[in-house]
Amino acid sequence: MAGHAMPAICGPCLEGGNKNPSVKWCTICEEQLCPGCVQHHQSLKLTRNHYLTEIRNDASSSYATENKRTTLNTPETCINHPSVEIQFYCKKHDIMLCDACLGSHHSCNTCSDIVPIDLASNGTKNSQNFHSIQTEITNILQSFSAILANKQTVEQIFSNEVSSAKKKIVEIRLELVRYLEEMIDKTLLKDVESQEKEVLNQLMKDKTFAEDGRKEATWFLDEMSSILNTGSDKQAFMLLQRMKAFKNIRDQQLKEMSYNMQAYSLKVELTDPVALCSKMELLFGRVNMKSTPYNVNMVQGMKISAICATPGEAIKTENLYTVFLFNDAGGHISDIKIPGTPTDSTAVPGGSKAIVLVDNKKLLFLEKDGTGTLHCKNIMKMAKGCNLITASWNKLYIAYKSEIIVMDINGHDVQYLKTLKMHDLQIQAFSVGRDDEVYYAIADRLYCMKDYGEEVCLYQTQDLKEVSGIVLDTEGNVYICGKKSNNIHVLKQKDSSAQVLLREGDGLQRPSGICFDKFRNKLFVYYESSYDPIQVYNVTM
């Protein structure tokens, strides 16, 4: 009957001709089990470690064996060969393969990192990647929803202005003599309607795109929820691969769309009716349609609660400390023990090299291999005690009091840059721009040194105290972090204007430093304690 679900039936019992109600679902066997079969399942060596979940016999969670495919829509067939089931996974190229792919996929023909899909997918449902991407897809869903709502607001405002414009045109038309009506209809109204059609078509296109993205993100989240309840690791793994592809594509589309938003305004400039009647050659007026670019802020990134994700943070183990490498989702990649206390660290642009300052006097040159493992390639002792380091693509910069030491990226060809002001004070934080200009803070003032000697004070304010970090984005905007003032300032490259970007109300708690991901436009804020979360903010300027 309608409104009543048939009870879930035990799979093994059904094979024997019995219809015993099931109480558990095996995510490995993808089969429902009654209490007796559960006991038998857990007693066998082959299946005792299988993960079993509860089954509710109601309309929202009935998983009949013959209908189980209807609740999970993640396809298990190959994208390139829809009639062939996926059976393998290439770890090197991060792609799923079927039998047909093995013979046709050029890059995987000689690859040795191909494993069965069942082996590759083991444990996916409980993996960090699977749950992290849920947050990312949720952000995409919320961002598309925000854009859709914004487009609807823009459409309403624009429609109101179109209605107002039409009303004014009708009013002026009634004041003119009858024989001018035809001319007005052919000029102003036609122009307004043409602009209206063009703008509404564009808005409809944008809304449709946002709605499609929202629906697709909703589908992924619903599918993930179903898999978490009743799906297998294999299905979770396949969904994860497709969600990764969706995220990569939609992230870029969202970024482009949010940077190219347009608001529309339509105004009508009308000629005075008296002057119009006295001079027939005058124009009746113009329809001015202005498109104003603006940004829609995407959903703020998640807060990553990682025990040791803070750059430069270390955990002591006997006489050694450990440097950890994390991805931007807070997932642990690798770690390495180092002799001494890490004072500061910097990543070399490119993603595979990092340098750690140890005990204020030794430089450890670390490198990540193809498997993500960290290795120490070189150790170099400094003649002077130093406190800060940073790196560009090909140079290493080391701060010593108010002096900056410049080397190549391997620690050779030493050159000294001396600041021209306040030699009795110490550099608080510094960073390097794309043209090798050095930005540094002394006594809570931001300076820039160009051409190895030309020094300019760029910024100072009473609202910036105890500078603890300086970074630059791809556009050359400078971000300055104030620990005591509990805020982050930004000095814009375009017009040299400055503003406070983040304060305590945005979640700051006396930040110890900042980093900027130039590839994803994300600002990372970290703290002294390794138990505080790293905060991640999406940046739109």
Side-chain angles (χ1 to χ4, degrees):
M1 294 179 62
H4 296 279
M6 294 296 293
I9 304 301
C10 175
C13 292
L14 188 62
E15 291 293 328
N18 298 318
K19 295 186 178 180
N20 296 326
S22 60
V23 295
K24 296 278 188 178
W25 169 267
C26 178
T27 61
I28 306 299
C29 300
E30 297 186 355
E31 195 165 37
Q32 299 168 97
L33 305 170
C34 67
C37 290
V38 167
Q39 184 176 1
H40 182 68
H41 209 69
Q42 293 175 334
S43 65
L44 291 176
K45 183 177 181 180
L46 184 64
T47 58
R48 66 177 57 158
N49 293 323
H50 286 193
Y51 183 67
L52 305 181
T53 61
E54 295 287 340
I55 290 180
R56 299 196 321 272
N57 288 315
D58 56 27
S60 64
S61 58
S62 59
Y63 308 105
T65 302
E66 54 270 40
N67 293 323
K68 67 180 181 181
R69 295 292 180 183
T70 62
T71 61
L72 300 174
N73 298 315
T74 300
E76 297 185 9
T77 55
C78 180
I79 295 177
N80 299 318
H81 308 94
S83 62
V84 184
E85 185 176 356
I86 294 173
Q87 294 182 338
F88 304 98
Y89 171 68
C90 179
K91 295 189 289 185
K92 180 179 180 180
H93 298 95
D94 192 23
I95 57 174
M96 298 184 293
L97 306 166
C98 67
D99 284 331
C101 291
L102 289 180
S104 61
H105 202 286
H106 177 72
S107 59
C108 293
N109 280 340
T110 59
C111 188
S112 59
D113 289 334
I114 297 178
V115 296
I117 193 71
D118 291 329
L119 177 62
S121 63
N122 188 30
T124 299
K125 282 178 60 175
N126 296 321
S127 68
Q128 176 68 34
N129 280 343
F130 194 64
H131 290 280
S132 293
I133 202 169
Q134 182 181 24
T135 301
E136 296 292 335
I137 298 298
T138 300
N139 287 348
I140 290 176
L141 170 64
Q142 293 175 357
S143 296
F144 272 123
S145 298
I147 288 177
L148 182 62
N150 185 271
K151 287 293 181 181
Q152 291 170 339
T153 301
V154 170
E155 181 182 24
Q156 182 61 49
I157 294 173
F158 181 75
S159 296
N160 291 341
E161 291 188 339
V162 168
S163 299
S164 178
K166 288 182 177 181
K167 183 178 179 181
K168 287 183 178 180
I169 293 171
V170 171
E171 289 174 353
I172 192 65
R173 184 182 63 184
L174 296 176
E175 296 177 13
L176 297 174
V177 293
R178 185 178 300 274
Y179 71 90
L180 294 178
E181 284 189 354
E182 183 178 356
M183 295 181 65
I184 293 176
D185 289 337
K186 290 181 177 179
T187 55
L188 297 180
L189 280 177
K190 185 177 180 180
D191 199 358
V192 169
E193 289 170 354
S194 174
Q195 298 288 358
E196 177 188 20
K197 181 178 179 181
E198 180 180 347
V199 171
L200 292 183
N201 285 342
Q202 183 61 45
L203 287 171
M204 179 59 69
K205 180 180 177 182
D206 292 346
K207 286 166 56 184
T208 300
F209 178 82
E211 178 65 22
D212 290 344
R214 188 181 68 84
K215 288 181 179 178
E216 195 172 358
T218 301
W219 182 90
F220 275 117
L221 294 175
D222 290 342
E223 188 68 2
M224 175 179 284
S225 177
S226 298
I227 288 180
L228 287 173
N229 288 329
T230 63
S232 64
D233 282 334
K234 178 179 178 181
Q235 292 170 318
F237 180 82
M238 293 180 181
L239 179 61
L240 173 61
Q241 297 303 310
R242 287 171 170 81
M243 291 170 76
K244 284 163 59 179
F246 167 77
K247 173 186 173 297
N248 291 337
I249 294 173
R250 291 302 191 180
D251 264 345
Q252 182 61 32
Q253 292 174 340
L254 273 173
K255 183 177 179 180
E256 294 174 359
M257 195 171 186
S258 62
Y259 270 90
N260 294 284
M261 302 291 282
Q262 301 287 334
Y264 304 99
S265 177
L266 189 145
K267 305 293 183 183
V268 177
E269 296 179 6
L270 299 174
T271 304
D272 186 286
V274 176
L276 181 62
C277 292
S278 62
K279 282 192 174 184
M280 299 300 298
E281 68 273 12
L282 291 177
L283 293 174
F284 294 107
R286 291 195 305 270
V287 175
N288 293 329
M289 218 292 298
K290 181 173 68 175
S291 175
T292 305
Y294 71 101
N295 293 335
V296 173
N297 289 329
M298 293 173 61
V299 179
Q300 178 176 312
M302 62 282 183
K303 293 185 178 180
I304 307 167
S305 297
I307 293 180
C308 289
T310 305
E313 191 75 26
I315 294 180
K316 191 171 183 180
T317 306
E318 298 178 348
N319 295 323
L320 297 175
Y321 283 78
T322 304
V323 174
F324 291 84
L325 176 64
F326 291 82
N327 60 29
D328 61 358
H332 174 267
I333 298 177
S334 180
D335 57 71
I336 186 172
K337 289 182 171 56
I338 61 173
T341 305
T343 309
D344 195 14
S345 63
T346 183
V348 179
S352 62
K353 295 181 180 181
I355 301 167
V356 180
L357 178 63
V358 178
D359 296 329
N360 296 99
K361 59 184 180 181
K362 289 186 293 186
L363 294 176
L364 271 64
F365 293 81
L366 306 181
E367 188 168 342
K368 181 182 68 172
D369 62 21
T371 64
T373 304
L374 284 174
H375 301 278
C376 183
K377 295 295 185 180
N378 188 26
I379 299 178
M380 187 176 71
K381 293 184 178 180
M382 300 295 296
K384 298 181 179 181
C386 305
N387 59 305
L388 297 170
I389 60 174
T390 190
S392 64
W393 288 97
N394 57 359
K395 292 182 181 179
L396 174 63
Y397 298 78
I398 306 165
Y400 167 71
K401 294 185 178 179
S402 62
E403 185 176 81
I404 298 174
I405 303 170
V406 185
M407 304 179 177
D408 66 24
I409 206 62
N410 297 313
H412 305 124
D413 301 328
V414 177
Q415 183 177 6
Y416 296 92
L417 305 181
K418 293 185 177 180
T419 61
L420 303 180
K421 300 177 177 67
M422 307 179 190
H423 298 288
D424 56 330
L425 298 176
Q426 183 169 294
I427 294 175
Q428 299 168 292
F430 75 130
S431 187
V432 180
R434 54 191 171 190
D435 295 325
D436 288 338
E437 67 274 24
V438 181
Y439 296 83
Y440 57 92
I442 296 180
D444 295 331
R445 298 177 182 176
L446 177 66
Y447 294 87
C448 178
M449 180 182 292
K450 298 181 179 180
D451 300 327
Y452 301 106
E454 180 187 350
E455 186 180 46
V456 179
C457 180
L458 296 179
Y459 183 60
Q460 67 178 103
T461 174
Q462 294 296 323
D463 199 23
L464 179 63
K465 297 180 181 179
E466 198 175 322
V467 174
S468 56
I470 300 172
V471 293
L472 286 85
D473 63 17
T474 53
E475 303 299 325
N477 301 310
V478 185
Y479 301 80
I480 313 106
C481 176
K483 184 176 182 180
K484 187 175 181 180
S485 55
N486 199 24
N487 52 25
I488 294 176
H489 299 238
V490 60
L491 183 62
K492 297 181 181 179
Q493 174 70 21
K494 184 177 181 181
D495 55 8
S496 298
S497 63
Q499 69 180 76
V500 178
L501 189 65
L502 297 170
R503 296 182 181 272
E504 183 176 355
D506 300 300
L508 297 186
Q509 297 293 333
R510 295 176 59 85
S512 298
I514 49 178
C515 297
F516 195 89
D517 186 336
K518 297 182 179 180
F519 295 99
R520 299 179 180 86
N521 266 15
K522 290 185 177 181
L523 184 69
F524 293 77
V525 182
Y526 57 90
Y527 299 88
E528 287 183 354
S529 172
S530 60
Y531 295 94
D532 287 331
I534 290 179
Q535 294 167 308
V536 187
Y537 297 89
N538 290 320
V539 178
T540 57
M541 297 295 293

